[in-house]
Amino acid sequence: MINAPNIILVGPMGAGKTTIGRLISQSMGKEFYDLDKVIEDNAGADIPWIFEREGEEGFRKRETQALSNMVQSDTHNTVLATGGGIVTRSENRDILQQDGLVVYLYASVAQQLYRTSKSSHRPLLQAGDPKATLKKLFEVRDPLYREVATLVIETDARHPKAVANKVLEAIKRYLTSEDSNPNAHLNRGSW
Ligand SMILES: Nc1ncnc2c1ncn2[C@@H]1O[C@H](COP(=O)(O)OP(=O)(O)O)[C@@H](O)[C@H]1O
Ligand SMILES: O=C(O)C1=C[C@@H](OP(=O)(O)O)[C@@H](O)[C@H](O)C1
Ligand SMILES: [Mg+2]
């Protein structure tokens, strides 16, 4: 087990945040949370229902609330998979940067499209051309993922287990190099 702070995964829809988050939480002996699931549990409704009734704005309010609750609950030893739009609000970006080691799971638009095409639970991809939507979102969000993330991991040509191993290796390497730097502040994961 790696002695690491809380780990937060960011990246676009289909990057594998939910899948990889679960895998690395098991390897690290940490508790796993998926913010979308937390939002659904709090609302007593699924994400398509929230978008339908409250619009994207309603969902974003719930998302920020769920994220800040998590920080305030002072939970330790966790892996958190976020939703792809978590970086769109600056208040969320502030929380992410202060409260964990943030890992950006990168996927090309082609892979995002392929991986999201098998399910219909992402409301933003249900109307219009999903490829054009993913491309547009990626242009806006890629710099924001990079802004908040300490580590960036490429996922395109890797199976989920290989991605999880890459993430674990990168975290280990990062923490080791921080250990050898007396000015580094490891205490980024306060929840
Ligand atoms: N590295 C990968 N290679 C191939 N398929 C993947 C990979 N990572 C995730 N998937 C698949 O892509 C789909 C979306 O994954 P998910 O974890 O829900 O992504 P996210 O939470 O980032 O939207 C799932 O069917 C999952 O099994
Ligand atoms: O990119 C987005 O804005 C969204 C991504 C989704 O999560 P995943 O990235 O896990 O699919 C979910 O939060 C919601 O449908 C909105
Ligand atoms: Mg997810």
Side-chain angles (χ1 to χ4, degrees):
M1 193 205 304
I2 307 168
N3 181 18
N6 295 305
I7 309 299
I8 303 170
L9 301 182
V10 301
M13 291 179 270
K17 303 174 297 294
T18 300
T19 308
I20 307 305
R22 190 170 287 115
L23 287 175
I24 66 168
S25 71
Q26 287 159 2
S27 300
M28 298 178 94
K30 290 177 179 289
E31 205 167 336
F32 175 64
Y33 292 94
D34 189 282
L35 201 62
D36 284 340
K37 173 83 168 54
V38 174
I39 294 164
E40 290 183 331
D41 289 348
N42 290 345
D46 65 12
I47 288 174
W49 188 96
I50 297 169
F51 267 75
E52 201 182 305
R53 296 293 180 97
E54 302 176 359
E56 182 172 351
E57 189 51 29
F59 174 76
R60 296 294 165 211
K61 281 189 190 138
R62 289 180 179 276
E63 189 176 44
T64 297
Q65 190 65 56
L67 182 65
S68 52
N69 283 350
M70 209 130 211
V71 174
Q72 282 160 20
S73 71
D74 199 32
T75 312
H76 292 274
N77 212 27
T78 63
V79 174
L80 174 67
T82 60
I86 194 76
V87 291
T88 54
R89 284 188 161 196
S90 67
E91 58 194 301
N92 295 353
R93 297 200 296 277
D94 290 344
I95 296 173
L96 292 172
Q97 282 178 297
Q98 285 161 19
D99 288 290
L101 177 56
V102 182
V103 181
Y104 172 17
L105 295 184
Y106 171 89
S108 65
V109 170
Q111 272 299 308
Q112 294 170 36
L113 183 65
Y114 173 72
R115 294 180 194 164
T116 54
S117 62
K118 299 165 203 161
S119 72
S120 58
H121 70 273
R122 294 179 177 87
L124 294 177
L125 302 180
Q126 294 312 300
D129 172 12
K131 187 177 179 186
T133 304
L134 287 168
K135 188 168 179 292
K136 212 168 104 192
L137 290 175
F138 188 67
E139 277 161 14
V140 174
R141 294 174 177 180
D142 175 65
L144 301 177
Y145 298 134
R146 291 179 190 279
E147 181 187 316
V148 298
T150 298
L151 302 170
V152 182
I153 303 294
E154 156 77 52
T155 73
D156 264 16
R158 292 190 175 117
H159 289 296
K161 274 191 181 164
V163 175
N165 285 337
K166 278 280 163 196
V167 173
L168 292 168
E169 275 170 27
I171 291 171
K172 207 182 285 182
R173 206 174 319 120
Y174 173 76
L175 293 176
T176 310
S177 67
E178 282 236 319
D179 275 344
S180 61
N181 175 1
N183 296 320
H185 299 291
L186 247 182
N187 192 22
R188 287 162 59 100
S190 59
W191 55 275

